[in-house]
Amino acid sequence: MAQVTLKGNPVQVNGQLPQAGSKAPAFSLVAGNLSDVTLKDFAGKRKVLNIFPSVDTPTCATSVRKFNAQANDIANTVVLCISADLPFAQARFCGAEGLENVQNLSTLRGTEFIENYGVAIADGPLKGLTARAVVVLDENDNVLHSELVKEIAEEPNYEAALAVLK
């Protein structure tokens, strides 16, 4: 169990975020068309997992915008924006913002992802959602970088996440 904060208040997070050098746990999440998408569907690509509570919050929306812009020029890389938002809300947000360089995935049927990636908020007002985290994987699903953001209302370290891909 890890501890982060939400606007300075302690929040418990269950599980352990995958660490650099480990193999990423398999997952199944929900795509925009309500189909199940697995880690294997991105085989051979490098992956940036941008994990956050909800795209309907300012910091989460900013992280999607920034990864959309910054990861666009990195070859053979896909940015997966993962939240508890329904695929409809994710599509509405990206459509309204004109964001085409990220792929949204929902934890709608992905509770094992939340547990296996150590991002399950266990208490407080966001209980049941995911903590803010970034996990970067190589083409073979080895973890290159991981960050559990200590303050949910703050942005992740984009530079550190993307530096391992350059």
Side-chain angles (χ1 to χ4, degrees):
M1 183 174 284
Q3 183 173 304
V4 297
T5 58
L6 175 62
K7 298 183 180 176
N9 298 309
V11 174
Q12 298 301 314
V13 179
N14 287 337
Q16 174 73 30
L17 192 68
Q19 297 299 302
S22 67
K23 193 74 161 176
F27 63 73
S28 179
L29 296 165
V30 181
N33 63 3
L34 299 179
S35 67
D36 292 327
V37 175
T38 68
L39 181 58
K40 288 182 181 181
D41 291 322
F42 304 99
K45 291 198 173 281
R46 300 182 301 172
K47 296 153 281 287
V48 176
L49 281 57
N50 178 28
I51 306 163
F52 51 86
S54 173
V55 75
D56 285 325
T57 64
T59 306
C60 299
T62 297
S63 74
V64 174
R65 287 184 201 104
K66 284 191 177 179
F67 274 121
N68 179 75
Q70 294 181 19
N72 185 39
D73 298 330
I74 301 174
N76 195 36
T77 301
V78 61
V79 177
L80 306 176
C81 293
I82 302 168
S83 69
D85 295 298
L86 293 176
F88 316 112
Q90 293 172 333
R92 174 189 42 77
F93 172 78
C94 284
E97 295 278 331
L99 306 177
E100 299 177 353
N101 300 321
V102 296
Q103 182 169 346
N104 290 298
L105 297 174
S106 174
T107 60
L108 173 65
R109 294 188 296 269
T111 54
E112 72 285 342
F113 172 87
I114 297 170
E115 296 164 9
N116 293 342
Y117 277 76
V119 293
I121 296 177
D123 60 9
L126 299 181
K127 180 179 179 179
L129 297 179
T130 59
R132 183 176 317 287
V134 176
V135 179
V136 181
L137 310 176
D138 69 10
E139 298 88 337
N140 300 308
D141 302 331
N142 297 306
V143 178
L144 300 175
H145 168 84
S146 65
E147 175 193 12
L148 179 63
V149 179
K150 297 298 179 196
E151 168 57 55
I152 295 172
E154 292 180 3
E155 296 175 57
N157 185 336
Y158 304 103
E159 294 77 24
L162 297 176
V164 298
L165 298 172
K166 295 181 179 178

